[in-house]
């Protein structure tokens, strides 16, 4: 059995959001992943973030590749648009969908194998083009679905369940996303929902390429001593740079922190990212500082988590291309085919 239907019964007093939906309305089918898999916690965080942001489920398009991580869109947002693409090809399908209909909220879900190996070229180009999306990599350091081979993000020297040592240097997707021009970059941990939910909310509210690398332990193949993606190892080495709150446009902004201890960053849609600094002098609006911090922490076996970089004024692919505000799939025949005289004029201008 590949999926299980969820019982429709729900408690009558479940809290509703501004749209009158409960969290259950943002769920999907029952997960068939291993009990304790980090990916299920990320699905729960996505459900919570969309519920808290009062997102209309039909406005979301969720896309994925192949892998345990890429199966997860079946387990959340059951009323949204979905496309489970080919291995590593989620970014180009998402880019095409986004070009056709800019009005949807695009959520790309992928794995470290899906995005850092077979799909690396796709990942690179979607990020550098500034596609307006939230791109989440559920990073467990292995190919979980095909039984635990090291992925390209596995740390050098980390040990597999059977004792093999990974000889290759790891590829760090956060560093790559920063270098490629992503305008919202964060790293989370599936075991820290308090940090992860606002990270996802901020990414969904952001215009431009938002990238989140979420460390997500694979309990079946990469949760043993010697692994650097196990729950224990990540809990011991996690160093958060900030604590994030996301305040939607209509909510009153209440200051509950001392001056100098937090900064506020307003995004395009009017939402405010309120960052309570945990690391001294860290400004998430400085791309170079973010790259340095990630490398410095890695050099001493630490994992920097939190919102690492944001450019609140970023533009997206549609801004770069100068496309019209109307979604291209809603343009009528008259606009798309303006007639032979207009074509003549265009041809003449090119001669
Ligand atoms: C073209 C192609 N090559 C290889 C595979 C086999 N395959 C399926 S999932 C996967 C890797 C998945 O790893 P990851 O993206 O990290 O997901 P996880 O299962 O760890 O969440 C591979 C190699 C495939 N399905 N298609
Ligand atoms: S094999 Fe690993 S990644 Fe896949 S569902 Fe099980 S714990 Fe999760
Ligand atoms: Mg993986």
């Amino acid at each position: 059995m590949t999926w299980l239907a969820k019982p429709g019964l729900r408690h009558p007093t479940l809290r509703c959001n501004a749209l009158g939906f409960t969290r259950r309305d943002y769920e999907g089918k029952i997960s068939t992943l291993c009990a304790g898999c980090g990916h299920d916690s990320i699905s729960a965080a996505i459900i919570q973030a969309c519920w808290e942001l009062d997102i209309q489920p039909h406005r979301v398009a969720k896309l994925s590749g192949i892998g345990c991580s890429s199966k997860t869109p079946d387990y959340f947002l059951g009323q949204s648009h979905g496309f489970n693409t080919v291995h590593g090809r989620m970014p180009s399908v998402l880019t095409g969908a986004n070009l056709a209909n800019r009005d949807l909220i695009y959520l790309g879900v992928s794995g470290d194998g899906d995005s850092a190996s077979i799909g690396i070229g796709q990942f690179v180009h979607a990020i550098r083009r500034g596609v307006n999306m939230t791109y989440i990599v559920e990073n467990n350091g292995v190919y979980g679905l095909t039984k635990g081979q090291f992925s390209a993000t596995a740390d050098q020297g980390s040990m597999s369940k059977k004792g093999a040592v990974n000889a290759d240097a790891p590829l760090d997707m956060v560093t790559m996303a920063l270098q490629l021009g992503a305008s919202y970059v964060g790293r989370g941990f599936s075991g820290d929902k308090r940090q992860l939910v606002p990270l996802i909310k901020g990414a969904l509210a952001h215009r431009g390429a938002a990238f989140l690398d979420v460390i997500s332990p694979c309990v079946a193949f990469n949760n043993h001593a010697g692994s650097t993606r196990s729950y224990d190892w990540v809990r011991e080495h996690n160093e958060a740079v900030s604590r994030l709150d996301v305040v939607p446009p209509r909510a009153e902004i209440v200051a509950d922190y001392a001056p100098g201890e937090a900064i506020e960053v307003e995004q395009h849609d009017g939402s405010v990212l309120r960052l309570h600094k945990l690391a001294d002098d860290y400004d998430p609006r400085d791309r170079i500082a973010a790259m340095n911090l990630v490398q410095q922490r890695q050099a001493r076996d630490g994992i920097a988590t939190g919102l690492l970089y944001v450019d609140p004024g970023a533009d997206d692919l549609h801004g770069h291309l100068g496309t019209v505000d109307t979604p291209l799939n809603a343009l009528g025949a008259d606009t798309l085919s303006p007639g032979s005289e207009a074509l003549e004029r265009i041809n003449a201008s090119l001669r």
Side-chain angles (χ1 to χ4, degrees):
M1 189 183 299
T2 53
W3 61 275
L4 298 167
K6 220 172 220 178
L9 289 176
R10 60 191 58 184
H11 197 278
T13 61
L14 279 184
R15 272 180 57 210
C16 292
N17 63 11
L19 299 173
F21 292 138
T22 68
R23 262 179 294 254
R24 294 282 320 264
D25 296 310
Y26 292 82
E27 292 178 355
K29 291 170 189 152
I30 290 178
S31 170
T32 57
L33 302 187
C34 307
C37 175
H39 299 350
D40 278 335
S41 305
I42 302 173
S43 297
I46 292 170
I47 290 168
Q48 182 72 18
C50 292
W51 180 76
E52 286 182 15
L53 284 177
D54 304 320
I55 288 175
Q56 295 170 306
H58 71 272
R59 291 204 51 238
V60 179
K62 43 178 190 164
L63 296 96
S64 61
I66 298 290
C68 298
S69 35
S70 292
K71 283 170 69 178
T72 64
D74 221 18
Y75 313 139
F76 59 80
L77 295 175
Q79 311 296 322
S80 301
H81 307 277
F83 197 149
N84 189 200
T85 73
V86 187
H87 199 19
R89 270 53 172 190
M90 175 274 285
S92 57
V93 178
L94 189 153
T95 303
N98 183 302
L99 275 172
N101 185 358
R102 62 188 298 170
D103 271 359
L104 296 180
I105 298 165
Y106 289 92
L107 175 59
V109 175
S110 181
D112 43 320
D114 196 60
S115 277
S117 292
I118 192 168
I120 188 78
Q122 298 246 332
F123 159 76
V124 164
H125 292 290
I127 296 286
R128 91 179 166 83
R129 288 185 172 127
V131 180
N132 189 12
M133 62 181 171
T134 297
Y135 191 134
I136 299 179
V137 166
E138 304 188 346
N139 187 352
N140 52 19
V142 289
Y143 299 166
L145 190 71
T146 54
K147 307 230 174 293
Q149 301 85 352
F150 286 124
S151 80
T153 66
D155 286 322
Q156 202 164 29
S158 64
M159 201 183 284
S160 77
K161 201 173 169 183
K162 295 226 163 139
V165 174
N166 181 36
D168 299 329
L171 191 154
D172 182 48
M173 300 197 76
V174 158
T175 305
M176 287 185 77
L178 287 165
Q179 194 270 326
L180 290 163
S183 44
Y184 182 106
V185 181
R187 178 171 271 143
F189 171 40
S190 63
D192 186 352
K193 197 174 172 189
R194 190 160 172 243
Q195 180 193 53
L196 186 55
V197 172
L199 265 183
I200 295 172
K201 284 168 71 178
L204 290 168
H206 182 74
R207 184 165 93 203
F211 176 73
L212 293 178
D213 179 66
V214 185
I215 298 171
S216 175
C218 168
V219 289
F221 300 110
N222 206 11
N223 196 33
H224 45 270
S227 157
T228 56
R229 293 287 182 279
S230 66
Y231 280 109
D232 285 348
W233 201 93
V234 178
R235 280 201 189 103
E236 277 162 28
H237 296 82
N238 187 349
E239 297 179 40
V241 294
S242 59
R243 189 160 62 76
L244 178 67
D245 296 328
V246 179
V247 187
R250 62 194 167 283
E252 184 191 0
I253 298 170
V254 184
D256 62 352
Y257 49 86
E261 289 183 351
I263 56 166
E264 292 193 345
V265 181
E266 188 173 337
Q267 303 215 82
H268 279 104
D269 66 346
S271 62
V272 175
L273 306 179
R274 193 192 300 152
L275 287 133
H276 306 249
K277 290 190 189 188
L278 299 181
D280 289 344
D281 303 327
Y282 187 65
D283 184 351
R285 293 164 296 191
D286 184 340
R287 191 183 290 275
I288 305 294
M291 293 170 98
N292 283 338
L293 180 100
V294 170
Q295 298 300 319
Q296 283 161 5
R297 295 282 167 95
Q298 263 165 17
R300 54 181 171 84
D301 259 4
I303 307 174
T305 61
L307 179 58
L308 300 165
Y309 175 72
V310 62
D311 173 1
D315 212 343
D316 75 337
L317 177 64
H318 284 278
H320 302 159
L321 293 177
T323 53
V324 290
D325 289 341
T326 312
L328 301 186
N329 68 343
L331 293 177
D334 290 354
T335 317
L336 291 172
S337 178
S340 53
E341 279 181 26
L343 183 62
E344 243 340 287
R345 277 200 304 278
I346 293 169
N347 285 342
S349 73
L350 297 172
R351 279 188 194 111

